[in-house]
Amino acid sequence: MKILVLGGDGFCGWPTSLHLSQLGHEVFIIDDFSRRRIDVELEVDSLTPIQPLSVRLDAWQRVSGKRIGFAHLDICADYDRVLEVIGSFSPDAIVHFAEQKSAPYSMKSTWHKRYTVSRNTSATTNLLCALLDAGVDAHVIHLGTMGVYGYESAGLMLPEGYVDAILEDPKGRLSKRRILYPFDPGSVYHTTKTLDALLFYYFNKQDGIRVTDLHQGIVWGTSTKDTELSEDLINRFDYDGDFGTVLNRFLIQAAVGFPLTVHGSGGQRRAFINIRDTVRCIELALMSPPSSGSQVRVLNQMTEVHRIRDLARLISRLFRVEVNSVSNPRTEDEENALDASCDGLVQLGLKPTLLEEGLLRELEYIARKYHHRVDSSRIPSQSLWSHRFK
Ligand code: USQ
């Protein structure tokens, strides 16, 4: 299969590109290095020493004998060049990671809100329009988020994207409709993923573009079998207050003896997935594309649901580090009853990575190995969710 990976230099995009190339697919990356530029803006660095993309690609060719193509371009600003690449490469599938992916970053200021909305929505719109202009019927696989559903305490089992609703007309007649589960985003970043879902809904209905929207949980871990083949292939690991996801942050906090930063009571239940399962899920979605004419397929890409304070307790017990309850910088329920279905990917063959086994590996090979690179002043979360008219 010919696969275009948008955002293939990033945290999920890089290991996915390697995995797909290892499987024998022809992979071509588009990236504008905006994630690396944000490191410069925030004055932080990946815990792991990531190499420039050209070094990564050469290393991959050396260890695997396989070549991954690359074009340095911004899909929001360089529409004509995106069109050219899509037209000449003519991919069977496009994996779309090319969005600003941090909720705290999206809440730092109104500039960051505008940046996140304009970047994410124009990346998705340009991709969909380029497929139409190029006349390429590629399967689009998008990385969405479990956060589109919200984290209310309804005690429901969250479905995969859709819900069957019974609607009543003024004469009391009932009709059944399959509708997108009501959105309830908790940050500007999560809002952009709900906007993406509407764009997919429309371009699928109107133009027949085939889409799989993977509503991914919080990713933890950093290495995959492929990134471990050479130090030059190492994946990024964010631990800072903006881009570090909670479990990776707790791991590095444990490695340097920084008391675990539980926001508030830590009663937030969230969905999680290991990076090794992320790349496998994308493979599974690619191998079973939706048939032409079918609705946008939504799959919940997560394997476990945990409460933040339970994760903190687990890490505290395993690695003997204190747990600290810090004032919550976010506007969110500190207790919720999230439960979600991920049957779709399990039915396609996913075998989840177990939390305890994966945690030990990450601590040993990543957190302990590179803990000397940690800048502890970057650990606290400083983005506040607090612009509210009373
Ligand atoms: N939290 C802590 N302590 C910390 C960091 C976070 O208690 O030091 C709490 C947060 O308050 C929140 C939860 O942990 O309740 C998750 O926070 P997070 O930073 O790990 O994840 P979040 O900002 O929700 O978003 C991340 C990624 C995003 C992805 C999303 C999946 O940035 O790309 O889409 O996870 S999900 O939340 O399931 O939608």
Side-chain angles (χ1 to χ4, degrees):
M1 222 184 254
K2 285 163 108 179
I3 304 167
L4 190 60
V5 181
L6 307 179
D9 184 51
F11 171 59
C12 292
W14 175 241
T16 300
S17 301
L18 297 186
H19 181 65
L20 298 177
S21 171
Q22 186 67 280
L23 291 171
H25 299 295
E26 189 180 340
V27 176
F28 192 98
I29 290 175
I30 288 183
D31 203 291
D32 68 348
F33 302 129
S34 51
R35 178 65 194 89
R36 292 182 188 245
R37 283 199 302 277
I38 291 176
D39 279 344
V40 177
E41 175 199 341
L42 299 178
E43 300 183 345
V44 292
D45 213 348
S46 161
L47 173 78
T48 46
I50 52 172
Q51 294 298 330
L53 185 58
S54 60
V55 175
R56 286 177 148 186
L57 294 175
D58 287 347
W60 180 242
Q61 190 160 4
R62 206 169 52 241
V63 301
S64 72
K66 297 172 200 296
R67 232 191 119 258
I68 295 178
F70 167 62
H72 176 192
L73 62 93
D74 174 351
I75 66 169
C76 302
D78 299 332
Y79 182 76
D80 291 342
R81 288 191 57 214
V82 177
L83 187 54
E84 213 176 281
V85 172
I86 291 181
S88 60
F89 185 59
S90 194
D92 302 293
I94 300 183
V95 190
H96 175 24
F97 296 101
E99 295 183 277
Q100 192 297 95
K101 63 134 200 176
S102 155
Y105 182 83
S106 77
M107 302 300 285
K108 287 184 92 61
S109 72
T110 51
W111 185 89
H112 294 87
K113 292 177 189 191
R114 289 187 298 111
Y115 171 81
T116 303
V117 173
S118 76
R119 198 173 166 84
N120 293 1
T121 54
S122 79
T124 300
T125 311
N126 282 1
L127 163 63
L128 295 168
C129 288
L131 288 175
L132 299 182
D133 277 343
V136 170
D137 176 22
H139 171 203
V140 174
I141 295 186
H142 172 250
L143 272 289
T145 170
M146 289 294 292
V148 298
Y149 302 123
Y151 298 110
E152 61 180 340
S153 293
L156 296 172
M157 177 68 117
L158 286 175
E160 300 202 84
Y162 298 95
V163 66
D164 289 324
I166 307 284
L167 305 179
E168 186 176 349
D169 76 6
K171 292 188 175 149
R173 287 176 301 212
L174 302 179
S175 63
K176 203 169 157 189
R177 288 264 290 280
R178 189 165 184 248
I179 57 172
L180 283 167
Y181 187 85
F183 298 134
D184 186 16
S187 71
V188 167
Y189 155 76
H190 289 99
T191 304
T192 64
K193 297 289 178 166
T194 71
L195 297 170
D196 283 340
L198 280 178
L199 289 167
F200 293 133
Y201 173 83
Y202 177 75
F203 281 82
N204 166 266
K205 181 182 75 158
Q206 169 62 31
D207 302 298
I209 295 185
R210 291 172 299 132
V211 181
T212 299
D213 203 357
L214 296 171
H215 284 177
Q216 184 161 249
I218 297 166
V219 181
W220 62 279
T222 190
S223 61
T224 62
K225 280 194 195 123
D226 305 307
T227 64
E228 283 173 358
L229 290 174
S230 155
E231 182 84 5
D232 286 345
L233 298 172
I234 203 161
N235 197 17
R236 64 178 306 129
F237 184 114
D238 298 309
Y239 63 90
D240 63 281
D242 289 319
F243 277 85
T245 50
V246 63
L247 199 42
N248 278 2
R249 281 167 56 69
F250 285 177
L251 276 172
I252 199 62
Q253 290 168 11
V256 298
F258 193 104
L260 305 181
T261 53
V262 171
H263 291 170
S265 70
Q268 305 92 325
R269 279 170 71 86
R270 293 290 184 272
F272 290 86
I273 184 165
N274 183 267
I275 187 83
R276 292 176 184 235
D277 293 340
T278 291
V279 304
R280 171 87 175 120
C281 287
I282 290 162
E283 173 199 343
L284 293 171
L286 276 164
M287 291 302 117
S288 61
S291 51
S292 110
S294 57
Q295 239 181 342
V296 172
R297 172 173 60 167
V298 180
L299 298 170
N300 292 342
Q301 184 161 303
M302 38 81 54
T303 56
E304 296 174 79
V305 172
H306 293 285
R307 203 165 249 138
I308 302 300
R309 64 170 169 259
D310 296 338
L311 291 175
R313 278 189 200 130
L314 172 69
I315 292 183
S316 164
R317 180 166 55 75
L318 287 174
F319 310 124
R320 290 197 205 91
V321 59
E322 265 176 61
V323 177
N324 191 13
S325 168
V326 299
S327 147
N328 195 342
R330 308 185 184 202
T331 305
E332 62 183 1
D333 287 348
E334 283 184 10
E335 300 286 334
N336 69 317
L338 173 75
D339 216 343
S341 155
C342 59
D343 295 347
L345 285 159
V346 171
Q347 275 160 19
L348 290 176
L350 178 68
K351 295 200 177 51
T353 302
L354 297 176
L355 191 69
E356 293 208 15
E357 165 217 332
L359 281 178
L360 290 170
R361 188 180 53 228
E362 285 296 328
L363 193 84
E364 209 50 52
Y365 295 111
I366 299 293
R368 289 221 168 104
K369 185 163 175 202
Y370 296 107
H371 76 276
H372 59 279
R373 289 172 52 93
V374 172
D375 174 353
S376 298
S377 70
R378 299 296 169 188
I379 290 179
S381 265
Q382 271 148 5
S383 276
L384 301 179
W385 261 236
S386 62
H387 295 268
R388 191 179 171 88
F389 295 113
K390 298 290 173 209

